């Protein structure tokens, strides 16, 4: 343990109500929208394969021409209420929305720069429209904010000269002003999702970022900020120099999911995921593998089974409409969630040994276990290895509670659930109502030995 002034200020999970609610979301929506949605991954008729929201940074793209896209931003099909309905239909409990991505274009009328939606044909406050629409649907809002800002003259990648430092001091004030502005304009938002914080210039600002995080938390008690906002005074990010998680949850799972429970180190975490391999902003040409509804349902169950949230990204088009492929996925996931949401919302790591057929989740604060089944074995027997002293009182299909199972005990704390032969086209959930055994270890097997 080394002494740190600007490391993590908390060990272990937050236990307040705001974080408990966040922990129980299970499924969220990410929305990447901005000027990059206008070119949609193409420029002068040439389609590029990189992440479309990074097009300004690619070779051959005239930066000043890109920067002038604010004068053509007029999303006539933008309808925040329709977006929120799609999210509700999918079963998302929260949305993370890009207020400003790396290109610096602000989707709210910030007082601190001209590079905002106010100076576009559209004019209106998009962040407000999204916050209000999602609030009305009962879906919590988290604001995505990129510290790195390619448009701002005082942004620096590193601080090499005195001039750099003078400019960056102005940039730090600008960043603080925008963050206080967002938290003031949109007081109902539950958190901030930071990005663009890996460059040396920002990593060197441990004290400033620490103070700013403290100021934001004071302004908005309960505010949720992940591990990506700030580095400690040794430049350590996500985990400080003592290996303690920075911020309220681990934000490192970008387009990847932990392989096993040990990899989450007992922390809260979210996984943010794209539908194609790597497109956050709208790209007209989706190439490579496009994830299916079943794949995304499995990722959701996998994240929840290890105590995390799964956040699926949508990249609306330049006109503000959501592409058909994403609507279709939201509908498919939503149809499944309507039947099985009990196994996802307010659930956590069950402490059961992972089995090949799928994932265990546990309803927080109860002994109710869910088996989210994806791969029925040829034996049609689902193996269950319970923690010691566990009694399985009842086992039944969530979608049809009349379909009851009697677990066959095969050894101490180990059972088979025998499924009737059935065709499985969608994952399904089996509920285990369990209890702690008073004496012994609660299995018939144990009694047999006595
Ligand atoms: C350098 O590699 C990066 C940097 C930033 C990203 C950004 C994406 O544009 C998107 O906003 C994602 C959430 N974020 C990590 C992705 C890859």
């Amino acid at each position: 343990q080394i002494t740190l002034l600007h490391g993590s200020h908390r060990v272990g999970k937050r236990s307040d109500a705001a974080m408990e609610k966040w922990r129980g979301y299970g499924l969220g929506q990410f929305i990447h929208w901005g000027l990059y949605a206008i070119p949609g991954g193409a420029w002068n008729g040439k389609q590029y394969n990189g992440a479309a929201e990074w097009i300004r940074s690619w070779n051959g793209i005239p930066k000043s021409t890109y920067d002038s896209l604010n004068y053509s931003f007029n999303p006539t099909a933008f309808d925040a209420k329709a977006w929120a309905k799609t999210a509700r239909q999918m079963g998302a409990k929260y949305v993370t929305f890009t207020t400003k991505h790396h290109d610096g274009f602000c989707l709210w009328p910030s007082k601190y720069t001209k590079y905002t939606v106010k100076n576009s044909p559209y004019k209106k406050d998009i962040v407000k429209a999204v916050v209000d629409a999602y609030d009305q649907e009962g879906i919590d809002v988290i604001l995505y904010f990129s510290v790195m800002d390619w448009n701002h003259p005082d942004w620096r990648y590193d601080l090499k000269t005195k001039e750099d430092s003078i400019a960056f001091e102005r940039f730090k004030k600008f960043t603080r002003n925008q963050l206080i502005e967002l938290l003031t304009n949109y007081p109902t938002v539950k958190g901030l999702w930071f990005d663009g914080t890996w460059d040396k210039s920002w990593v060197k600002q441990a004290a400033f970022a620490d103070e700013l995080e403290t100021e934001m938390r004071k302004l908005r008690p309960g505010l949720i900020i992940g591990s990506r906002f700030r580095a400690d005074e040794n430049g350590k990010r996500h985990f400080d120099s003592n290996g303690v998680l920075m911020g309220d949850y681990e934000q490192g799972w970008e387009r990847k999911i932990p392989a096993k429970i040990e990899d989450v180190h007992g922390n809260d975490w979210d996984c943010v995921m794209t539908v194609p391999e790597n497109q956050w902003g709208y790209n007209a040409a989706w190439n490579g593998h496009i994830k299916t509804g079943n794949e995304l349902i499995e990722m959701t169950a996998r994240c929840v089974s290890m105590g995390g949230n799964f956040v699926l990204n949508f990249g609306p088009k330049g006109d503000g409409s959501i592409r058909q492929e994403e609507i279709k996925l939201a509908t498919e996931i939503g149809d499944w969630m309507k039947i099985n949401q009990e196994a996802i919302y307010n659930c956590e790591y069950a402490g059961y040994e992972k089995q090949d057929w799928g994932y265990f989740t546990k309803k927080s604060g109860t002994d109710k276990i869910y088996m989210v089944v994806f791969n029925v074995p040829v034996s049609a027997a689902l193996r269950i290895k319970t923690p010691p002293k566990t009694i399985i009182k009842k086992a039944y299909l969530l979608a049809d509670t009349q379909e009851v199972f009697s677990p066959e005990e095969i050894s101490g704390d180990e059972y088979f659930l025998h499924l009737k032969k059935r065709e499985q086209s969608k994952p399904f959930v089996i509920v285990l109502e369990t209890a702690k055994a008073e004496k012994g270890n609660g299995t018939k097997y144990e009694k047999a030995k006595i």
Side-chain angles (χ1 to χ4, degrees):
Q1 284 286 354
I2 62 170
T3 312
L4 286 173
L5 288 177
H6 305 299
S8 174
H9 299 310
R10 192 198 69 257
V11 179
K13 292 180 175 178
R14 265 178 53 175
S15 54
D16 58 291
M19 199 67 204
E20 294 281 344
K21 189 178 181 202
W22 185 94
R23 187 171 294 137
Y25 285 150
L27 177 62
Q29 177 189 44
F30 216 139
I31 296 181
H32 274 75
W33 198 41
L35 298 181
Y36 40 78
I38 298 171
W43 199 270
N44 285 344
K46 182 168 181 289
Q47 192 65 40
Y48 291 76
N49 275 335
E53 73 284 354
W54 273 72
I55 190 166
R56 183 186 185 279
S57 73
W58 300 341
N59 296 333
I61 306 292
K63 303 219 180 325
S64 54
T65 314
Y66 177 95
D67 289 343
S68 312
L69 283 173
N70 63 308
Y71 297 116
S72 19
F73 187 68
N74 190 17
T76 48
F78 171 58
D79 175 355
K81 290 190 171 59
W83 287 10
K85 284 216 172 348
T86 300
R88 176 76 177 270
Q89 210 286 327
M90 178 170 96
K93 286 290 183 191
Y94 69 127
V95 64
T96 301
F97 180 67
T98 48
T99 59
K100 178 177 89 169
H101 203 260
H102 309 330
D103 62 7
F105 182 65
C106 303
L107 291 181
W108 82 100
S110 175
K111 292 198 306 271
Y112 303 100
T113 170
K114 289 192 174 7
Y115 202 45
T116 82
V117 66
K118 202 166 168 206
N119 298 315
S120 79
Y122 187 74
K123 296 202 183 325
K124 288 174 285 184
D125 185 344
I126 285 170
V127 173
K128 177 163 176 43
V130 169
V131 170
D132 290 350
Y134 278 77
D135 281 355
Q136 270 153 33
E137 285 291 340
I139 301 174
D140 285 349
V141 180
I142 297 222
L143 297 181
Y144 167 108
F145 182 90
S146 174
V147 171
M148 176 171 72
D149 181 328
W150 294 331
N151 181 270
H152 198 285
D154 292 331
W155 165 255
R156 293 292 183 281
Y157 287 97
D158 196 358
L159 308 177
K160 294 219 180 335
T161 66
K162 183 131 182 51
E163 191 280 333
D164 283 344
S165 298
I166 292 167
F168 207 68
E169 283 310 303
R170 288 193 297 265
F171 185 80
K172 286 156 62 175
K173 282 189 182 60
F174 161 73
T175 298
R176 175 187 167 278
N177 285 339
Q178 285 206 316
L179 289 170
I180 300 303
E181 182 179 48
L182 285 170
L183 294 177
T184 306
N185 290 5
Y186 316 107
T188 60
V189 301
K190 303 297 180 290
L192 294 167
W193 203 96
F194 286 97
D195 204 0
T197 55
W198 52 82
D199 288 299
K200 291 198 184 79
S201 52
W202 183 257
V203 168
K204 287 171 180 170
Q205 308 303 327
F208 172 79
D210 192 7
E211 260 162 64
L212 179 51
E213 181 173 316
T214 301
E215 181 184 9
M216 291 191 286
R217 289 181 188 281
K218 229 164 94 202
L219 177 60
R220 284 279 167 271
L223 192 69
I224 294 170
I225 297 174
S227 60
R228 198 187 286 247
F229 177 54
R230 64 186 179 89
D232 76 5
E233 55 261 49
N234 302 317
K236 301 292 281 177
R237 298 182 63 231
H238 292 289
F239 292 89
D240 70 16
S241 307
N242 292 319
V244 183
L245 182 73
M246 306 282 275
D248 304 320
Y249 65 96
E250 191 186 349
Q251 238 183 308
W253 302 101
E254 188 240 326
R255 291 180 297 125
K256 53 184 187 294
I257 297 177
K260 54 193 186 312
I261 186 64
E262 292 76 14
D263 297 346
V264 307
H265 311 292
N267 296 314
D268 284 309
W269 57 280
D270 71 357
C271 161
V272 291
M273 188 58 75
T274 50
V275 176
E277 171 53 33
N278 183 20
Q279 294 295 337
W280 297 91
Y282 174 69
N283 191 325
W286 268 4
N287 298 318
H289 178 66
I290 307 304
K291 298 173 189 76
T292 63
N294 277 343
E295 276 180 87
L296 296 167
I297 291 165
E298 175 157 8
M299 291 183 176
T300 303
R302 198 159 128 213
C303 287
V304 173
S305 78
M306 290 185 278
N309 292 330
F310 183 69
V311 185
L312 180 61
N313 183 69
F314 288 64
K317 298 182 188 174
D319 71 357
S321 63
I322 297 181
R323 70 198 301 162
Q324 274 319 304
E325 303 94 321
E326 290 176 353
I327 298 287
K328 186 166 163 294
L329 287 171
T331 307
E332 217 180 308
I333 294 164
D335 290 349
W336 186 84
M337 285 292 284
K338 280 184 187 61
I339 300 167
N340 301 287
Q341 65 189 43
E342 192 184 315
I344 300 297
Y345 296 148
N346 299 310
C347 285
E348 62 187 48
Y349 171 59
Y352 282 50
E353 197 175 285
K354 173 81 176 66
Q355 301 293 341
D356 293 342
W357 46 258
Y359 309 91
F360 288 105
T361 65
K362 182 171 81 132
K363 184 64 72 185
S364 297
T366 76
D367 286 324
K368 209 166 189 185
I369 302 296
Y370 301 95
M371 300 166 63
V372 194
V373 183
F374 289 85
N375 318 302
V376 175
V378 285
S379 64
L382 303 182
R383 184 185 298 273
I384 303 170
K385 191 127 181 46
T386 66
K389 299 187 188 308
T390 304
I391 295 172
I392 300 175
K393 295 190 308 187
K394 277 174 81 178
Y396 52 88
L397 202 60
L398 177 60
D400 168 10
T401 54
Q402 303 310 312
E403 176 136 358
V404 179
F405 303 89
S406 13
E408 178 206 352
E409 190 165 349
I410 45 180
S411 74
D413 301 323
E414 202 155 2
Y415 304 84
F416 271 143
L417 283 197
H418 294 285
L419 300 176
K420 289 184 203 115
K421 276 285 172 215
R422 60 153 103 246
E423 60 85 24
Q424 251 90 37
S425 66
K426 295 303 281 177
F428 59 91
V429 175
I430 291 172
V431 184
L432 301 179
E433 291 190 4
T434 74
K436 299 266 179 304
E438 276 70 50
K439 57 191 183 318
N441 74 356
T443 67
K444 184 161 77 342
Y445 208 70
E446 170 72 41
K447 295 186 196 72
K449 265 191 249 151
I450 291 170

